[in-house]
Amino acid sequence: MATAASASPGALGAKTPARGPSARHPAPKPAPAFARPAPRRAPAPGRPRASLHLGGAGAGVASSSSAAAAAAANGSGLHVAPAIAPLALPKMAGAMGTHKNVLLFYCEEMRELAQQVVARNDDIELRSISWRTFADGFPNLFISNAHSIRGRHVAFLASFSSPSVIFEQLSIIYALPKLFISSFTLILPFFPTGTSERMEDEGDVATAFTLARILSNIPISRGGPSSLVIFDIHALQERFYFGDSVLPCFESGIPLLKSRLQELPDSHNITIAFPDDGAWKRFYKQLQHFPMVVCNKVREGEQRTVRIKEGDPRGRHVVIVDDLVQSGGTLIECQKVLAAHGAAKVSAYVTHGIFPNDSWEKFQADNGEGPEHGLSHFWLTDSCPLTVKAVKDRRPFEILSLAGSIASALQI
């Protein structure tokens, strides 16, 4: 005899209870491929309708009329949502297609270069600092209208031409980022301790690393770490001496030289010469479309002479390229070797003309008499302002200004 539990559901007139999740959540019905708009209910008579209008005054009227026109055009009677223009976003300083308004402070040595930078870009404004000293010789400094630079992009153009001027400039460099500014950029065209980057004996002090550590501790501004712009640092590995709390940007004066060479009447006959392998490593990639001559120094007894390692200078206008010059002895020896091997002309370029003890006086113009008598041109940048004043209007020297390059770097 059949029990009630085994009875047929149809016989009992009841449904078998479902098991599993579907018992609690019935399976949804499949949606149609094209959703059918729900019928619109007409508002009650005399009852106002609430609406939200975007896009300014009169947008609601325009939206209603455009929607009605669209419905009439497609013949469906369906409501078509009007296109809404995206909300305008504020422009960010330094973004693509925008310009930063920068306040440029400077040390006294860099006054002339700072004025040239401002003349290149209307978005850069010149600001000054009161550089005074107390009776004991220590700096007495004052930044005028400090409240007015809050929220602004600020830069400082420095010249570490001697140890005696570094401390007073560091005082300003450390003070400016703390004045609630948006960003801070230090432009130091010449990194003066770059040639002291190695230790050959125990006890040697690599002052390049010391100065890099000092600059790496510039306080951060409201916008984040400070930026540091340097031109043609002496050794490529020195870029790794700086810490993570500063953002170093390494620029070069070589584009200025290339532009100047294109202006020469014998621009088709230029050969680039490097006085040593170090100069070749630094610059050959920027000048690789020119024929090249590489020299090196060979020790002969107590003397070091310059010889041509590779390349042919015969009949060419040879331009010696290096990052800096101090006493100038190597450049002069290189000039003599190139002349002896048949160069038609010899010129020179360095980004940083240091020339301690007026050593620039060793260099003479050839006056069209040939490279044995001197240089046709000696190009320098204005990274070392004291040298610029000393050699102004003196042949064979010619100054290629970094003003345009600095103005561009301040917009990064």
Side-chain angles (χ1 to χ4, degrees):
M1 181 175 179
T3 62
S6 61
S8 170
L12 297 177
K15 294 183 179 179
T16 303
R19 292 186 177 92
S22 61
R24 296 187 301 272
H25 303 287
K29 296 181 180 181
F34 298 96
R36 187 173 182 178
R40 300 179 62 187
R41 182 178 299 175
R47 189 172 182 178
R49 294 178 59 187
S51 61
L52 175 64
H53 301 301
L54 298 178
V61 177
S63 299
S64 301
S65 59
S66 61
N74 61 30
S76 64
L78 298 179
H79 174 71
V80 180
I84 301 175
L87 298 178
L89 297 177
K91 291 184 178 180
M92 299 294 292
M96 187 68 67
T98 64
H99 297 279
K100 289 195 300 184
N101 293 313
V102 181
L103 304 180
L104 178 60
F105 293 86
Y106 57 92
C107 68
E108 282 301 311
E109 287 183 15
M110 287 294 193
R111 177 188 293 271
E112 185 174 345
L113 178 55
Q115 292 172 344
Q116 294 180 32
V117 171
V118 172
R120 300 292 182 96
N121 194 320
D122 294 335
D123 294 311
I124 303 175
E125 178 183 342
L126 207 59
R127 293 292 183 94
S128 61
I129 295 169
S130 176
W131 301 90
R132 297 170 296 180
T133 57
F134 291 107
D136 59 2
F138 278 86
N140 177 14
L141 310 171
F142 184 72
I143 302 170
S144 303
N145 301 317
H147 288 282
S148 67
I149 71 174
R150 291 182 175 180
R152 305 290 297 276
H153 298 287
V154 174
F156 181 74
L157 181 56
S159 173
F160 290 178
S161 58
S162 69
S164 62
V165 300
I166 292 179
F167 177 70
E168 62 181 11
Q169 293 181 61
L170 284 175
S171 300
I172 294 295
I173 291 166
Y174 275 53
L176 285 172
K178 294 186 175 182
L179 295 177
F180 295 93
I181 61 177
S182 271
S183 68
F184 179 68
T185 301
L186 170 63
I187 305 106
L188 182 63
F190 173 51
F191 188 75
T193 59
T195 55
S196 300
E197 85 283 9
R198 290 175 298 191
M199 294 178 58
E200 297 181 353
D201 295 317
E202 187 65 29
D204 285 343
V205 177
T207 54
F209 182 66
T210 305
L211 183 56
R213 292 181 65 185
I214 292 173
L215 297 179
S216 296
N217 285 282
I218 298 173
I220 63 173
S221 65
R222 293 178 61 189
S226 298
S227 300
L228 171 62
V229 179
I230 297 175
F231 286 82
D232 290 323
I233 198 164
H234 178 66
L236 297 179
Q237 70 268 18
E238 290 176 6
R239 66 182 60 212
F240 304 110
Y241 292 0
F242 297 90
D244 294 337
S245 55
V246 69
L247 303 176
C249 176
F250 298 99
E251 299 287 342
S252 178
I254 294 297
L256 300 175
L257 171 65
K258 292 165 70 175
S259 296
R260 183 65 183 92
L261 293 180
Q262 290 177 355
E263 299 172 357
L264 298 178
D266 58 351
S267 60
H268 62 283
N269 195 40
I270 299 295
T271 290
I272 301 297
F274 300 106
D276 51 41
D277 289 332
W280 177 81
K281 290 178 182 178
R282 280 189 294 274
F283 298 123
Y284 83 95
K285 287 187 177 180
Q286 298 185 68
L287 298 164
Q288 58 187 344
H289 58 285
F290 289 100
M292 294 184 183
V293 172
V294 181
C295 302
N296 62 359
K297 300 174 185 176
V298 179
R299 184 176 294 278
E300 296 179 347
E302 296 297 324
Q303 295 183 343
R304 299 182 69 182
T305 60
V306 175
R307 293 182 178 178
I308 293 180
K309 178 181 177 181
E310 58 182 85
D312 186 3
R314 284 179 296 180
R316 309 286 293 182
H317 181 177
V318 183
V319 180
I320 308 169
V321 175
D322 209 348
D323 64 316
L324 59 85
V325 57
Q326 296 212 34
S327 66
T330 300
L331 284 183
I332 291 177
E333 289 300 316
C334 194
Q335 169 204 335
K336 292 178 179 178
V337 169
L338 293 169
H341 283 74
K345 295 180 182 178
V346 176
S347 296
Y349 165 86
V350 296
T351 303
H352 312 295
I354 305 168
F355 295 122
N357 303 317
D358 296 330
S359 57
W360 55 267
E361 294 178 345
K362 298 179 182 178
F363 293 91
Q364 304 295 323
D366 62 3
N367 297 317
E369 298 177 2
E372 303 84 1
H373 298 83
L375 297 174
S376 296
H377 304 273
F378 196 151
W379 293 290
L380 315 167
T381 75
D382 42 6
S383 64
C384 300
L386 299 181
T387 297
V388 172
K389 292 181 180 179
V391 304
K392 187 177 182 180
D393 299 327
R394 292 178 179 267
R395 295 190 61 210
F397 296 100
E398 181 181 339
I399 305 301
L400 306 178
S401 181
L402 294 172
S405 302
I406 293 173
S408 298
L410 288 176
Q411 292 298 322
I412 297 176

